[in-house]
Amino acid sequence: MIVYRIAQNPNQNRAGVADFVIWNEDEIKFVETKRVRESVRESQKAWIAWMHENDVPNEIVQLKAV
């Protein structure tokens, strides 16, 4: 599904894809990472909305320095 969406409009849809894809034997999840003062870009919001509409597990994780 993800590759198909990119292929439909590569110039627009390749930006904003999640930073990481994590998986194990039972599940897969797309993860977007953000630093403390960083915000989600419009292209990322579009991907997140599309994932929600298509029941694609995804998450935004906020990172902070230790």
Side-chain angles (χ1 to χ4, degrees):
M1 277 172 53
I2 302 294
V3 174
Y4 179 73
R5 181 170 190 262
I6 293 170
Q8 286 179 315
N9 188 342
N11 291 330
Q12 181 179 349
N13 292 336
R14 66 179 170 208
V17 179
D19 295 321
F20 297 98
V21 180
I22 57 173
W23 69 93
N24 62 25
E25 294 177 4
D26 301 318
E27 60 185 321
I28 187 169
K29 184 182 285 187
F30 290 81
V31 179
E32 179 63 39
T33 57
K34 292 293 173 191
R35 291 177 280 192
V36 173
R37 292 185 180 91
E38 193 175 20
S39 60
V40 179
R41 296 186 322 260
E42 288 303 314
S43 59
Q44 294 167 326
K45 289 178 184 178
W47 268 104
I48 291 166
W50 181 86
M51 287 186 205
H52 283 285
E53 291 168 9
N54 290 280
D55 296 321
V56 177
N58 66 87
E59 183 174 346
I60 299 174
V61 176
Q62 191 171 45
L63 307 173
K64 64 179 185 177
V66 290

